[in-house]
Amino acid sequence: MEDLFKLRPELLGSKVEPLIRARAEAFQSASAAFRFSVTPYYLSLASSESLCPIWMQVLPDEREASDSLFDQPDPLAEEAHMPVPGLTHRYPDRVLWYLSHNCAVYCRFCMRKRKVSREESSPTAAARKAALDYIRSHSEIQEVILSGGDPLSQSDRVLENCLKQLKEIQHLVSLRIHTRMPVTCPQRITAEFCDMLESVAPVTLVTHFNHPNELSDVAREALTRLRKTGNLILNQSVLLNGVNDSVEAQKELNLGLYGAGIKPYYLHQCDEVNGVSHFRVNMEEGVRIQKELRGRIPGPALPQYVIDLPGGGGKVPVDSSYLVEGGYPDPVFENYRGDLFFPRGDHP
Ligand SMILES: *Cc1c(COP(=O)(O)O)cnc(C)c1O
Ligand code: SF4
């Protein structure tokens, strides 16, 4: 962590120096379990005044090591639904394919904390072949989602190779890439990468901005390059205590993304993962924030608030609270201002 001060010497003597040192010291005990890494670019976004939302996402916290609330390393049972190494097949129609377990930045709230950064957990060429064979032989699969870790920590050549082989599989309707590189290392979104992405269009690229401070000029330029490839670009974020759990932060983030031509897709409830409890926000509070947002930003700028059900149940929306009383056919809905409405739910 001394490197932080080498990369940003002005942090020495700043208000955050003692805070960073205290965190580093307290983290010693957890460093065997969870890795720490940040890019110089992402570090440049962090404040020297306070532990801002950028620091909160990357700086280790002693609570990671003493998290007794959840002892589950794999709460979503991703490993249990793994027919071949590196492939999670939970929903009948789509699979998650982990192309890499490395990331540019290790986010402290990561739900795959158990395995990101572990060299030995990265899929080999043989595992990639086994995954492709599995996808080929299961015609019920319609979409393949490249995930990780960060799939963009693989070379363009490996990515192109995988994408082109997937393109040849007749029963696949769409391909998706989940990556945080536009946020943590926008320099990875090179002209060459974009040319490759254009050559395999259409694919859907889902990025992961959590806070408006991450929408820097450099990141916006990367998003513009991505949009020019003619592919659909979405964003998913995680609701995080102390980072983005306010109407203001959510409004600025989602409006900023929408203004940059990116559709906010999901807002995730933080998973029940070991070492991340201190990031969790009450669902009731999450619902309140969502409710206030609706009606205050354009509809297409609103992400859907979802929870990934523990045990591998899949994702469901956390939005039932608009329905405040009774049920169908006589529902009572509450709108973003808290007013009640009584639409007819039957078919007259
Ligand atoms: C989240 C997830 C997906 C993708 O779900 P969408 O709702 O299509 O975005 C697919 N498989 C698994 C195992 C997942 O956790
Ligand atoms: S980029 Fe994604 S997979 Fe990697 S550490 Fe962050 S949240 Fe986890």
Side-chain angles (χ1 to χ4, degrees), residues 123-299:
T124 58
R128 285 208 296 269
K129 184 175 178 305
L132 274 167
D133 286 344
Y134 180 89
I135 296 165
R136 270 191 208 103
S137 61
H138 285 257
S139 57
E140 74 275 22
I141 301 174
Q142 296 183 325
E143 184 178 54
V144 175
I145 303 168
L146 304 187
S147 185
D150 202 311
L152 268 60
S153 53
Q154 293 285 5
S155 68
D156 287 355
R157 208 168 46 82
V158 168
L159 289 172
E160 179 172 16
N161 196 291
C162 291
L163 288 164
K164 292 223 154 121
Q165 292 198 62
L166 290 169
K167 282 266 158 186
E168 280 167 18
I169 302 175
Q170 290 296 318
H171 55 261
L172 292 183
V173 175
S174 60
L175 301 179
R176 213 193 307 177
I177 302 175
H178 283 184
T179 174
R180 211 175 180 213
M181 288 286 179
V183 186
T184 55
C185 186
Q187 296 79 3
R188 173 68 183 85
I189 312 301
T190 59
E192 293 73 32
F193 172 75
C194 290
D195 286 347
M196 187 277 285
L197 207 61
E198 193 172 344
S199 77
V200 292
V203 296
T204 301
L205 191 137
V206 186
T207 179
H208 180 171
F209 287 84
N210 281 331
H211 192 273
N213 290 5
E214 294 169 338
L215 281 166
S216 68
D217 290 344
V218 181
R220 284 173 191 277
E221 284 159 19
L223 292 177
T224 301
R225 289 197 291 281
L226 283 173
R227 281 201 308 113
K228 286 189 177 154
T229 65
N231 289 297
L232 180 63
I233 318 290
L234 308 174
N235 185 73
Q236 56 181 344
S237 58
V238 186
L239 184 61
L240 298 168
N241 177 27
V243 175
N244 60 11
D245 58 335
S246 69
V247 176
E248 296 69 40
Q250 287 295 329
K251 194 170 160 179
E252 211 184 317
L253 170 66
N254 292 303
L255 262 185
L257 287 162
Y258 186 48
I262 313 302
K263 163 80 185 105
Y265 173 47
Y266 278 155
L267 171 65
H268 292 270
Q269 172 70 7
C270 192
D271 292 316
E272 298 179 11
V273 183
N274 182 20
V276 311
S277 298
H278 54 290
F279 277 115
R280 283 166 58 86
V281 177
N282 284 338
M283 241 179 271
E284 208 178 344
E285 177 65 4
V287 164
R288 187 192 66 78
I289 292 171
Q290 273 301 92
K291 224 168 173 176
E292 279 199 37
L293 270 184
R294 183 171 283 283
R296 293 193 166 83
I297 60 174

Side-chain angles (χ1 to χ4, degrees), residues 57 100-113 116-117 147-151 178-181 184 208 210 238:
Q57 292 184 66
S100 158
H101 290 136
N102 296 316
C103 303
V105 165
Y106 291 115
C107 315
R108 305 324 303 177
F109 52 84
C110 181
M111 63 140 166
R112 301 212 179 100
K113 227 170 169 166
V116 289
S117 86
S147 185
D150 202 311
H178 283 184
T179 174
R180 211 175 180 213
M181 288 286 179
T184 55
H208 180 171
N210 281 331
V238 186

Side-chain angles (χ1 to χ4, degrees), residues 76-78 81 88-91 93-96 98 111-112 143 145 176 178 206 236 265-266 268 304 306 308 314-315:
L76 304 179
E78 289 183 327
H81 293 155
T88 295
H89 192 179
R90 169 170 308 139
Y91 298 110
D93 67 309
R94 52 213 195 275
V95 290
L96 279 184
Y98 312 104
M111 63 140 166
R112 301 212 179 100
E143 184 178 54
I145 303 168
R176 213 193 307 177
H178 283 184
V206 186
Q236 56 181 344
Y265 173 47
Y266 278 155
H268 292 270
Q304 185 169 42
V306 292
D308 217 332
K315 296 177 191 60

